[in-house]
Structure formats: C-alpha cells, structure tokens
C-alpha cells in the first residue's frame, strides 16, 4: 500500500518506498545497494507489483534473504521474489507493458477508505466504456499529462482500457507500453465525466486531439490507483512475477 509514502522514488525530506527498501537491503547485506525500479509512482499510489533490479554480491539462500528483508520492512511493503537475471537486464527500460487499475466504490465502505475512491453518483458505464475504447485509437496523450513535465514524447500505445464491476468495486483497467505523469488519474477523471453525462463521446475526441490538459477532467485521488502488472520480453520471463 502506498498510503504512507511519497511514491517510490527517493527524494529529500520525504518517506519513499525506494529509500526504505535500500536502507534495509544495505543494512542486512552490509553493502551499498541501489534499486532501479520499473517506474515511479506518485504519493499515495499503490503497487500490487513492482519490479526493481540491483547489483548484489552472491546470495547463498534467496528464500532466507526474502524472509529477513520482510522482517525488517514495514507491514505495508513486502518482497515476494528475488531472481538472478542477466547483467544487462534493466527493470525500467526492458519493460514492454504496464497495467494500472483504478478502484471506485459505489457505497461507503470504511475498509476502502485508503484503497478506493467513494463516488455515489449514478454512472453510465456503457458510455464510459465507449469513451475508454477511443483511447486505443490515438497515440498522443498530452491532454492527460501533468503540465510542466519534462518528457521527450507524449506518445503512448494503449492496448486495453475497460471498466468492469468487480464485486462491490467499479474497476478501470488500462494497459500501455508507457504512461505519462498523472495520465491514468486524468483519464479516469475524464471518463467519469462521461459517466455523469457532463460530456459526450465526441467531447472526448476533441479533448484528446486538442492536447490541452485544461480541457480534460480533473485528476482523481491517488488512493484508488494501483500499478498491477509489469510485462517483460520472454527472455526476461522471470521478471513477470
């Protein structure tokens, strides 16, 4: 859970997942350990899967090391596996697809206070899915990117985008080769406006073509966002988790 952290990436005067994990690794292994992750997450965003690589001295017992690391890590951070990969493997640059989910709950539920966004409004889910399908027809998503972000390109290849009702949750799942800063939260905010009939399908097309962040919907809260899967080529299948 990312509730207690200022995202993955280490930064001054903030508690982050990377910083805590590097401290525990370095302390237990008695060597300087630097983790390179598949990507960064914003403050409050959760990760059900995160892949990171690092250079370590020889490990005698991977299972024992996992148990020791988890014993020292906070309860909301867990290491599931450690795998040996080729020396040139890179957790970020070798990833070919990432999947996020956004959770919305329709009824107030204390157990989802920090795990989903509570929205009681009536939503037109079929229209939201029609708008979501449009995303796969475009490549430039500047309209959903946080302003002032220094990136070389706003192009992303979205391969899946769909809303589904899962038990008491309304779940938006989206997969792409890469994501811009704040992109998923802005997309969800825009699609929810479709569901509330504030804007229509043609409006979504206009927003995407405009490249104007001001025209898209507001970013939804971080607490409902989950990084759920990172996919790698077959030669790095051990990283699939």
């Amino acid at each position: 859970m990312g509730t207690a952290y200022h995202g993955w990436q280490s930064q001054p005067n903030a508690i982050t997942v990377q910083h805590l994990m590097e401290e525990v690794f370095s302390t237990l292994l008695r060597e300087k350990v630097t983790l390179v992750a598949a990507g960064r997450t914003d403050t409050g965003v959760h990760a059900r899967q995160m892949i990171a690589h690092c250079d370590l001295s020889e490990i005698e017992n991977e299972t024992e090391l996992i148990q020791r690391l988890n014993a020292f890590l906070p309860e909301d951070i867990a290491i599931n596996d450690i795998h040996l990969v080729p020396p040139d493997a890179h957790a970020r640059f070798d990833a070919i697809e990432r999947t996020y989910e956004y959770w919305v709950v329709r009824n107030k539920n204390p157990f989802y206070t920090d795990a989903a966004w509570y929205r009681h409004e009536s939503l037109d889910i079929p229209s939201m899915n029609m708008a979501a399908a449009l995303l796969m027809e475009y490549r430039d998503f500047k309209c959903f990117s946080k302003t002032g972000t220094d990136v070389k390109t706003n192009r992303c290849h979205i391969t899946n985008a769909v809303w589904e009702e899962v038990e008491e949750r309304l779940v938006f799942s989206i997969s792409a080769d890469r994501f811009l800063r704040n992109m998923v939260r802005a997309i969800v905010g825009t699609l929810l406006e479709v569901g509330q009939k504030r804007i229509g399908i043609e409006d979504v097309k206009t927003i995407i073509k405009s490249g104007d962040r001001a025209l898209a919907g507001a970013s939804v809260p971080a607490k409902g966002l989950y990084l759920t899967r990172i996919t790698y080529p077959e030669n790095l299948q051990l990283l699939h988790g």
Side-chain angles (χ1 to χ4, degrees):
M1 296 292 287
T3 305
Y5 306 103
H6 289 260
W8 162 266
Q9 188 170 322
S10 292
Q11 51 188 295
N13 305 314
I15 301 175
T16 68
V17 178
Q18 180 184 12
H19 176 71
L20 288 177
M21 289 186 66
E22 288 179 346
E23 276 195 338
V24 172
F25 265 95
S26 299
T27 299
L28 292 181
L29 297 176
R30 298 181 181 179
E31 59 180 291
K32 174 71 172 177
V33 175
T34 300
L35 297 171
V36 178
R40 57 179 298 170
T41 53
D42 290 335
T43 299
V45 172
H46 316 295
R48 301 180 71 184
Q49 182 187 65
M50 175 63 86
I51 306 294
H53 78 257
C54 61
D55 296 320
L56 299 178
S57 302
E58 186 175 351
I59 300 174
E60 295 182 3
N61 188 317
E62 293 175 359
T63 301
E64 180 182 337
L65 177 58
I66 291 171
Q67 292 174 344
R68 292 176 64 206
L69 289 167
N70 281 330
F72 280 86
L73 286 168
E75 291 184 347
D76 49 8
I77 299 176
I79 295 175
N80 295 323
D81 291 294
I82 294 177
H83 297 293
L84 179 65
V85 295
D88 60 348
H90 198 287
R92 178 185 174 190
F93 297 132
D94 288 337
I96 57 176
E97 187 175 76
R98 296 164 176 82
T99 297
Y100 282 89
E101 288 181 1
Y102 195 88
W103 294 4
V104 175
V105 288
R106 315 298 297 283
N107 297 302
K108 186 176 180 181
N109 187 331
F111 291 100
Y112 284 106
T113 298
D114 294 318
W117 193 30
Y118 166 51
R119 304 302 298 168
H120 65 275
E121 299 97 339
S122 177
L123 296 172
D124 182 348
I125 298 174
S127 291
M128 290 162 61
N129 269 325
M130 289 177 61
L134 287 176
L135 299 171
M136 290 177 277
E137 300 178 9
Y138 296 89
R139 291 291 183 272
D140 190 321
F141 295 101
K142 183 180 180 181
C143 66
F144 297 127
S145 176
K146 186 173 183 178
T147 57
T149 302
D150 184 20
V151 293
K152 294 181 179 179
T153 177
N154 295 300
R155 296 180 66 81
C156 308
H157 182 201
I158 296 176
T159 54
N160 181 65
V162 63
W163 289 91
E164 296 179 294
E165 296 196 67
V166 183
E167 298 175 344
E168 69 270 40
R169 290 172 285 124
L170 178 58
V171 178
F172 176 63
S173 180
I174 183 168
S175 301
D177 59 343
R178 64 190 291 269
F179 287 92
L180 305 173
R181 184 84 181 273
N182 209 52
M183 178 175 166
V184 179
R185 291 163 63 191
I187 287 175
V188 172
T190 304
L191 296 180
L192 286 174
E193 289 198 356
V194 174
Q196 295 168 40
K197 300 187 183 300
R198 294 181 178 176
I199 61 174
I201 303 299
E202 292 301 317
D203 295 313
V204 175
K205 294 180 181 179
T206 300
I207 290 168
I208 296 174
K209 292 176 182 178
S210 74
D212 188 348
R213 178 66 187 90
L215 295 182
S219 294
V220 293
K223 64 181 181 179
L225 184 60
Y226 296 77
L227 173 60
T228 60
R229 184 168 177 80
I230 304 160
T231 305
Y232 292 87
E234 286 302 314
N235 65 312
L236 288 176
Q237 58 184 329
L238 286 178
L239 290 182
H240 285 199

